[in-house]
Amino acid sequence: MNHRRQLIAASALAALSAALPQVALAQSDYPNKPIKIIVAFPPGGTSDVMGRMVAEPLAKVLGQPVVVENVGGAGGVIGTERGSKAAPDGYTIIQTGVGQNAVAHGLDPNLKYDSIKDFIHISHVHSGPNVLVVNASQPYKTLADLVKAAKANPGKLDYGYTHAASGHMAMELFKQTAGIFMTGIPYRGGGPMMTALLGNEIPMMFINQDVALPHIKAGKLRPLAVSSLQRNVLYPDVPTVAESGYPGFEALSWSGMSVPKGTPAPIVAKLEAAFKEVMAMPAIKQKMEGNGFVVPVQGVKPYSDFVASELPRWTKVIKTAGIKPQ
């Protein structure tokens, strides 16, 4: 019996030894076929734009085609869940972001993936603020004016929001920080919400900085504050919420690129280096900064640390606000 066990053990060891060089060869040969980026939202939005922006230069750096697959639904959760279950071989990259990898955890305690444990976060692609804007016909000239009116009329001031979007989270955090109560009017998307604001059906909302700019330039909207810690290049004369009396206030829209847990370290290192090269390209930086986005610090550790800090922040805001999934 012992001799038989020894033969079985020896056979297993031989099989493992034979497989190891093949695994090592596969890793050193990476990539040798097309790579897929799962964007967990429909085409046309900021997430899709960012995914496609990096796909072409990444293909040039890695020497293989990089295709974008849009898997929308449930605020990014469906595509992200699919990505978390993909083979950890470096051929499926998942676009991670504030909605699906931070806000979603606050909305659903039974989420089928863990944004910290189920992914290796490779590259932080974009970061951008929301801008608190009011219809130009509204009387508020500063953030202080708005807060004063809200405190004098609790619940009587309305604002627009799209459920669980970064602007929604920015407004909830602002209400909690400023100690004010206003009434939210839900919209199914940013387009209908912008139409309502321009028509003065709602007086205000937080919205991405690039989306707001044309309407501000046209004189239809007035910006009161941006939600980043630093002023935005598109709005050099608009103060931050933090410098308007609420130190430390920050609420960002962000996305990045990640791979499933278990992806071999050599492949992770190659992807990390490739994304660093892509994000340092002048054309990428020019496009990002021209639309008011910031190119964040690159690398696995900075992006992993950032995701880990965002998850509890928005979970707490959602819990305090009592927001439920739709």
Side-chain angles (χ1 to χ4, degrees), residues 83-84 88-90 92-94 96 101 114-123 256-269 271-272 275 299-301 303-304 307:
S84 71
D89 56 9
T92 299
I93 299 172
I94 306 102
T96 38
N101 294 99
D114 186 311
S115 291
I116 307 301
K117 297 179 181 178
D118 291 341
F119 301 92
I120 299 171
H121 299 297
I122 303 290
S123 171
M257 296 291 167
S258 308
V259 292
K261 68 176 180 181
T263 301
I267 292 177
V268 169
L271 284 171
E272 180 181 29
F275 272 108
V300 170
K301 188 179 188 309
Y303 187 41
S304 298
V307 174

Side-chain angles (χ1 to χ4, degrees), residues 38-43 48 69-80 82 100:
I38 293 179
V39 170
F41 295 92
D48 182 60
E69 179 183 358
N70 296 92
V71 186
V77 168
I78 292 174
T80 306
R82 181 182 299 185
Q100 64 269 43

Side-chain angles (χ1 to χ4, degrees), residues 142-201:
T142 66
L143 196 61
D145 291 342
L146 179 60
V147 171
K148 182 179 179 181
K151 288 187 173 180
N153 303 277
K156 293 184 180 180
L157 271 66
D158 297 337
Y159 63 90
Y161 73 92
T162 300
H163 185 74
S166 60
H168 183 194
M169 295 298 102
M171 184 62 84
E172 293 298 340
L173 179 60
F174 178 63
K175 291 192 300 178
Q176 293 171 22
T177 302
I180 56 177
F181 169 53
M182 299 190 295
T183 300
I185 308 298
Y187 290 86
R188 289 193 174 274
M193 184 168 64
M194 180 60 78
T195 299
L197 180 64
L198 293 172
N200 208 24
E201 295 172 23

